[in-house]
Amino acid sequence: MCLQYIDRKFAGHWRLSARCAFIAIALLACSDAASPPNPPPRDIQLLTLETFDGSGQAVHPDPAETPLSWDGAASQLAVTPYPNGDAAKENPSLFAARSWHEWFVPDGIMNPIALPASGYLSDPDQLYNPEFNELWIYYRGVTSQNEIYLIRAASPTHRSAPLLVASGPNHTIVSPTVVRRAPNDWMMWSVNSGPGGCTSAATTVELRRSTDGIHWSDPVATDLASRDPYPWHIDVEWIPSRGEFWAVYNVKVAGSCTTPALDFAVSEDGVSWSPMPSPVLNRGEVPAFEDIVYRGAISYDPAGQLVTLLYSGARYENSRYTWRVATERMSFDTFIRLGAAAGVTPTPAATPPLTDDSAP
C-alpha cells in the first residue's frame, strides 16, 4: 500500500515543495515496516469561548487574518454554537484574537450575526477582502434547500445584510469554503452528498469559480472524494509561498456523520488532490474529542514556518454530545510527520450516530 501511494504521487509530477516532504516521510515509513515514524507529541488546547447562549460549546471554527487597522486584532474567528446538539443555537458568531488560543467577543458586537427565518444556519467560512477592507463571511442556511449567504463586514459592528450567492437542494452544498487569490480569482469548494446527507454512501467535493466572490459558476467535481472514507466538512486555504492549496476535512463512512478523523490533502490546481496517508487528528487523541472529530481549519505562517490548526469535535456523556473547539500550533516539519505516523483511521464511535437532524 505504501508503494502504491508513492507511485501515485510521482505519477503526478510532484515538484520540490511540501509534497516532496510528504513523499520523503512516506518513503521513510515504508523503508522499515517494523519501525514506522512515531507520532510527534501533541499540544492541543481547548478554547474558552463566550458564546451567546452561555454554553461555551461550539463547532465549525474558521479563522481569517485582518490588518490591525480593521479592528485592532490580527485574527478573527467564526464559529457556530452547538450546545448539546441544539440546532436552534447554531448561528454564526464572531470572535477576535488576543493570541492564537485566546479569543474574545469584539466590543460592540452582538452575537449571533445572523438568525434563520426557518431551518438553521451552519458552516461559516470567512476571508479578508483587501479591495474593500472588509471581512467576507459566508455561511449555509438549511431548510429543504442549501442556501449560501454572504455578509460583508466593514468592521465587527458594521455589516451588510445577508446576500444569497448560491443554492441547491438540501445536502448538495455542504460546508462551503472560499479562497480569494486575486481580485478576479475566487474559488469555492463544497461537499455534495446528494439527497442522502448523513445516510449517503459517498460524497463528492465540488468546485465553483467566481470573478467577484458573489456570482458563482456551476460546480465541477474534484477528485478529493475518490476514496473511502469521504469528506464531510472541508476547509481549503491557498498558500502563496508554496503555490499550493491545502485542505483539511473530517471524513465520514457510508451511512454515518459521526466522523472519526480529520484528514489533510494538497493540490496545485484545486481539482486534483493528494491526501496524506494518515489523519491529522483521530478521535480520542484528546478527551474532549473522544467520539467525534468534526470540521477543522488550517493556516500557515511562512515567516516562522508554523502551521496552526483549529479543531472541533465532541464527547458523548450524560446521554448527550458536548461540542468543543480546540487549537494546536506546530512547525511545518512536525505537521508533515503527522501524515506518516503509525496508526489506522478509527471507525466511528459506538455512540448514538449523528443524523441529518442532529449533525452540525
Side-chain angles (χ1 to χ4, degrees):
M1 183 173 179
C2 268
L3 291 178
Q4 290 173 354
Y5 171 80
I6 294 167
D7 288 344
R8 181 162 63 89
K9 298 298 179 285
F10 279 115
H13 305 292
W14 287 41
R15 61 184 173 80
L16 185 60
S17 67
R19 292 184 296 274
C20 294
F22 301 155
I23 292 177
I25 290 180
L27 284 168
L28 289 173
C30 296
S31 65
D32 185 357
S35 302
N38 293 322
R42 310 302 294 260
D43 183 22
I44 300 171
Q45 300 188 29
L46 295 178
L47 301 188
T48 300
L49 298 174
E50 295 183 8
T51 58
F52 70 88
D53 64 295
S55 70
Q57 297 185 46
V59 69
H60 302 135
D62 194 76
E65 297 302 311
T66 53
L68 292 176
S69 60
W70 189 77
D71 82 329
S75 298
Q76 316 299 322
L77 177 66
V79 301
T80 55
Y82 202 56
N84 305 126
D86 183 356
K89 305 295 193 305
E90 191 183 0
N91 300 311
S93 301
L94 297 183
F95 297 82
R98 290 192 181 93
S99 68
W100 64 275
H101 62 278
E102 293 182 300
W103 301 85
F104 64 97
V105 178
D107 289 341
I109 199 169
M110 180 67 72
N111 281 325
I113 63 168
L115 290 168
S118 61
Y120 65 92
L121 307 180
S122 65
D123 300 353
D125 191 88
Q126 59 178 348
L127 55 84
Y128 175 70
N129 187 342
E131 277 72 53
F132 297 94
N133 189 32
E134 292 176 342
L135 189 67
W136 286 30
I137 307 153
Y138 297 85
Y139 63 91
R140 181 177 67 128
V142 182
T143 55
S144 60
Q145 293 283 108
N146 285 171
E147 296 179 329
I148 309 305
Y149 291 93
L150 166 64
I151 290 177
R152 298 171 57 169
S155 73
T157 55
H158 293 82
R159 301 185 301 273
S160 71
L163 175 67
L164 179 66
V165 298
S167 64
N170 205 1
H171 313 309
T172 62
I173 315 179
V174 177
S175 188
T177 178
V178 178
V179 162
R180 173 203 168 277
R181 293 198 295 178
N184 62 351
D185 183 7
W186 295 69
M187 306 168 78
M188 177 195 292
W189 294 260
S190 59
V191 175
N192 185 342
S193 66
C198 285
T199 63
S200 63
T203 65
T204 301
V205 175
E206 297 179 329
L207 171 62
R208 293 170 171 82
R209 297 180 185 271
S210 173
T211 59
D212 59 7
I214 297 173
H215 303 91
W216 293 91
S217 70
D218 291 335
V220 298
T222 75
D223 69 359
L224 186 55
S226 61
R227 62 184 188 128
D228 182 17
Y230 297 97
W232 180 235
H233 282 52
I234 183 171
D235 176 56
V236 177
E237 301 295 333
W238 169 245
I239 311 299
S241 61
R242 296 186 177 274
E244 299 170 336
F245 297 98
W246 288 6
V248 290
Y249 49 97
N250 59 320
V251 290
K252 73 185 295 295
V253 297
S256 173
C257 275
T258 314
T259 55
L262 190 74
D263 280 10
F264 173 83
V266 65
S267 172
E268 288 185 345
D269 60 9
V271 177
S272 299
W273 291 87
S274 298
M276 288 174 71
S278 297
V280 172
L281 184 70
N282 291 319
R283 68 174 181 88
E285 293 197 53
V286 293
F289 300 156
E290 180 66 28
D291 300 302
I292 298 173
V293 173
Y294 216 71
R295 203 265 198 193
I298 191 167
S299 62
Y300 178 64
D301 171 16
Q305 296 190 29
L306 293 173
V307 175
T308 301
L309 291 148
L310 282 157
Y311 307 117
S312 63
R315 176 186 180 91
Y316 190 75
E317 53 188 350
N318 299 321
S319 301
R320 60 189 185 180
Y321 283 107
T322 300
W323 294 85
R324 296 294 302 275
V325 173
T327 189
E328 184 177 22
R329 175 170 286 185
M330 66 192 77
S331 70
F332 176 75
D333 289 343
T334 298
F335 174 67
I336 59 174
R337 282 176 57 202
L338 292 175
V344 177
T345 301
T347 58
T351 53
L354 294 179
T355 67
D356 291 329
D357 293 330
S358 61

